[in-house]
Amino acid sequence: MSKSTETPGKSSGILEWIERIGNKLPDPVLLFVIFAAVIIVISWAGAMLGWSAVNPGDGSVVTVFSLISRQGIVKIFTEFSSNIKSFSALTDQMVVLLGLALLEGTGLAGALMRRFFVKMPPKYVTLALVFLAVSSSVASDAGFMLLPPLAAILFLATGRNPVAGIIAAYGSVAAGFASSFFISIVEVVGMGYTQQAAQIINPDVVVPVTSNYYFTFVCAILLPLTAFFVTMKIVEPRLGKYEPEGAALQLASESIEVTEPEKKGLRMAGAAVIVYVLVIAVMTLPSGAVLRNPDDGGLMSSPFMSSIILIVAGFFFFPGLAFGYGSGTVKNHKDVVKCLTNSYASLAGYILVAICAGQLIKYFEWSNLGIIFAVNGAEFLKNSGVPTFILLLLTVLFTMVLNFLMPSHAGKLAFIGPILVPLFMMLGVSPAATYLAYRIGDSVSNAITPMMAYFVLTIGYVQKYKKDAGMGTLIANLLPYSISFAIVYIGLMAVFYFFRLPIGPGSTFQYMM
């Protein structure tokens, strides 16, 4: 067990109240069971009352599917196992652990921290972390799984509270999902849906993946600075000093000096990185490479992007293996298996949560409640009769709220995009700008929605260092990131809108019919 001591007066106020109330909630396992039961009852009531919506994509009428019906009950029983398998956060995390297990278990993580970061001023460590986290969407969801546990190790090795590292990493990844220095799969998917929705009005409309690039690039500079301030001035002082015990104490108390065997291990790990990167490069860079798209030769929609989780895991696995043998912490394959086994043991609690969360997410999907709420909510915005910029703000807020019910970025956009995009085109707002407002709302509440699959995973990371942590602990400490990021996003959107600045190459807020 380990604990942290808070500085008196630092945790007072609304965040303390949120944490206290949140931690009084039932365990996440029971909470997901309760939510699932509520969805089942609401689906029955919605079906009885005839709730419906018109799917703007194909004009079909979507009605509520009752889970308290013959078909619904059969679905609940027969698809229980497949619901768990479809909870991708669990399976992806099992892949990621292949790499993280050796990174930490062989001692490579500790050696790297002591070699490069221990003597670095804390503010620079934090700054580097949040800059990487905010732009991690370029690697799809890998940032959610990799950065929080790595940040915990980094903060612990440098004598700081590892929970603060987890919070900073997760908050920056989740709430910063609308910013990046690079074009990612998020743009490919988002702009694709946006273009389809825009072609309802104008079949010739093209929405390039770079349509929001100027805006997201500026955000990738401003948001890490915001996250840095929140971490250093709010979250870390609030969490207080950390007093490690058990395994955490062992890592924190390691000698600062890197030993000769560790230096040998680091050299071998470095060589492994070079070899691994070269192998991946050969499989991705040449024309016709095996991991490129076989149809167009691209990388954005290709086997490379589909296997990014495994590729990133390998980036840690092979250097960890090389370090283990080089430093002597790994003698044979049994030691490797032991590292993996110990790491997978930490998933026990999360697996139980995943079983329940997987059911809840599927129940909500089957019931069609998310679709109906999304479509009817968008219709409300359409009929509000307020100025265009305020309507864009309402879109941001509406998406933020909807994210608590339907966290899938593409899922929400698929259903409300065909309403919002044509609506704003008729008001003289470009499809790219509409998607920008949607993406801001989707990103801001990512950090604090318990429906996000990685939220429950992050609770597990936090409980490794703070046993009594609950949903309240996470939400209270993540809320400053969501609020501050929302202020930056919306303020920047206002600047681009009122000064008529391009939000991407050849893309502005204005749309001419």
Side-chain angles (χ1 to χ4, degrees):
M1 182 179 293
S2 52
K3 55 188 176 181
S4 59
T5 55
E6 296 180 353
T7 303
K10 291 292 185 180
S11 61
S12 59
I14 190 170
L15 294 183
E16 183 184 15
W17 179 82
I18 291 172
E19 180 171 357
R20 186 170 61 252
I21 297 299
N23 284 342
K24 288 182 179 180
L25 292 172
D27 186 90
V29 173
L30 180 58
L31 207 56
F32 279 111
V33 171
I34 293 172
F35 286 161
V38 170
I39 292 300
I40 290 173
V41 173
I42 293 177
S43 74
W44 171 79
M48 292 289 290
L49 296 172
W51 293 350
S52 65
V54 176
N55 188 329
D58 56 18
S60 63
V61 177
V62 180
T63 58
V64 177
F65 173 72
S66 174
L67 295 171
I68 305 180
S69 63
R70 182 183 180 88
Q71 285 181 306
I73 293 172
V74 168
K75 239 174 141 52
I76 289 173
F77 276 82
T78 59
E79 299 192 28
F80 185 87
S81 297
S82 60
N83 292 346
I84 302 171
K85 296 174 186 175
S86 67
F87 193 71
S88 60
L90 173 61
T91 52
D92 286 347
Q93 179 61 18
M94 293 178 73
V95 174
V96 168
L97 276 180
L98 289 173
L100 291 180
L102 293 187
L103 181 71
E104 186 172 2
T106 62
L108 174 56
L112 281 172
M113 301 307 149
R114 286 181 282 116
R115 176 65 178 85
F116 297 107
F117 295 107
V118 167
K119 297 180 180 179
M120 183 184 294
K123 60 181 181 180
Y124 295 130
V125 173
T126 304
L127 199 57
L129 170 67
V130 294
F131 260 101
L132 180 61
V134 163
S135 286
S136 68
S137 61
V138 71
S140 189
D141 289 352
F144 284 106
M145 292 173 286
L146 289 170
L147 291 181
L150 288 178
I153 296 171
L154 176 59
F155 272 51
L156 183 62
T158 53
R160 300 165 69 189
N161 195 321
V163 176
I166 294 171
I167 297 293
Y170 183 81
S172 300
V173 172
F177 220 59
S179 62
S180 178
F181 289 116
F182 311 100
I183 299 298
S184 70
I185 192 65
V186 178
E187 280 84 6
V188 174
V189 174
M191 295 304 178
Y193 278 117
T194 302
Q195 179 171 296
Q196 288 178 346
Q199 289 175 347
I200 295 174
I201 297 294
N202 182 355
D204 297 324
V205 167
V206 176
V207 186
V209 295
T210 57
S211 295
N212 287 169
Y213 182 68
Y214 295 159
F215 184 91
T216 57
F217 185 91
V218 175
C219 285
I221 298 173
L222 296 181
L223 291 180
L225 298 176
T226 305
F228 171 76
F229 174 83
V230 170
T231 304
M232 300 294 290
K233 300 298 183 180
I234 301 176
V235 173
E236 198 164 6
R238 182 176 186 276
L239 288 170
K241 184 179 179 181
Y242 182 73
E243 298 177 2
E245 299 178 12
L249 178 61
Q250 180 180 350
L251 178 59
S253 61
E254 287 179 343
S255 170
I256 292 180
E257 298 301 323
V258 179
T259 65
E260 286 303 320
E262 286 177 328
K263 290 179 180 179
K264 179 182 177 182
L266 287 173
R267 288 193 294 270
M268 292 185 64
V273 168
I274 294 173
V275 172
Y276 183 74
V277 169
L278 288 175
V279 170
I280 297 299
V282 169
M283 298 172 70
T284 55
L285 296 182
S287 176
V290 65
L291 291 182
R292 283 186 172 273
N293 188 312
D295 297 323
D296 59 17
L299 282 176
M300 293 308 296
S301 179
S302 65
F304 171 77
M305 291 305 298
S306 299
S307 57
I308 191 70
I309 298 296
L310 178 62
I311 291 172
V312 173
F315 185 80
F316 295 112
F317 180 89
F318 292 107
L321 190 63
F323 176 86
Y325 279 106
S327 65
T329 57
V330 168
K331 302 289 194 302
N332 50 50
H333 73 280
K334 292 183 179 180
D335 290 336
V336 176
V337 173
K338 184 178 179 180
C339 283
L340 294 173
T341 302
N342 291 338
S343 185
Y344 278 112
S346 66
L347 273 181
Y350 178 62
I351 290 173
L352 183 58
V353 172
I355 291 173
C356 300
Q359 310 309 315
L360 169 63
I361 291 170
K362 280 299 180 180
Y363 292 173
F364 203 75
E365 176 186 321
W366 295 342
S367 69
N368 291 328
L369 290 171
I371 300 170
I372 292 170
F373 291 161
V375 171
N376 289 332
E379 284 290 349
F380 170 77
L381 288 179
K382 178 180 178 180
N383 298 323
S384 61
V386 297
T388 302
F389 184 75
I390 301 301
L391 200 56
L392 285 169
L393 288 182
L394 286 175
T395 300
V396 172
L397 296 175
F398 170 65
T399 309
M400 287 171 60
V401 174
L402 188 59
N403 208 25
F404 283 89
L405 302 173
M406 196 176 183
S408 169
H409 174 86
K412 290 192 300 294
L413 186 59
F415 289 106
I416 66 174
I419 293 176
L420 291 178
V421 173
L423 162 65
F424 279 107
M425 289 173 69
M426 298 298 292
L427 295 173
V429 177
S430 69
T434 305
Y435 173 66
L436 178 62
Y438 166 84
R439 189 174 176 185
I440 289 173
D442 176 66
S443 299
V444 166
S445 56
N446 263 346
I448 54 176
T449 169
M451 286 291 285
M452 173 69 75
Y454 302 111
F455 185 90
V456 291
L457 178 64
T458 306
I459 291 178
Y461 291 145
V462 171
Q463 288 176 341
K464 181 178 179 181
Y465 301 97
K466 183 176 173 60
K467 300 298 183 183
D468 60 345
M471 292 180 64
T473 303
L474 208 55
I475 293 175
N477 287 290
L478 287 170
L479 193 59
Y481 294 93
S482 287
I483 293 174
S484 60
F485 277 32
I487 293 171
V488 173
Y489 276 135
I490 293 172
L492 194 60
M493 185 173 73
V495 170
F496 274 80
Y497 181 86
F498 289 109
F499 286 91
R500 298 180 179 274
L501 300 175
I503 55 177
S507 176
T508 66
F509 270 90
Q510 287 70 44
Y511 173 75
M512 302 298 294
M513 292 292 291

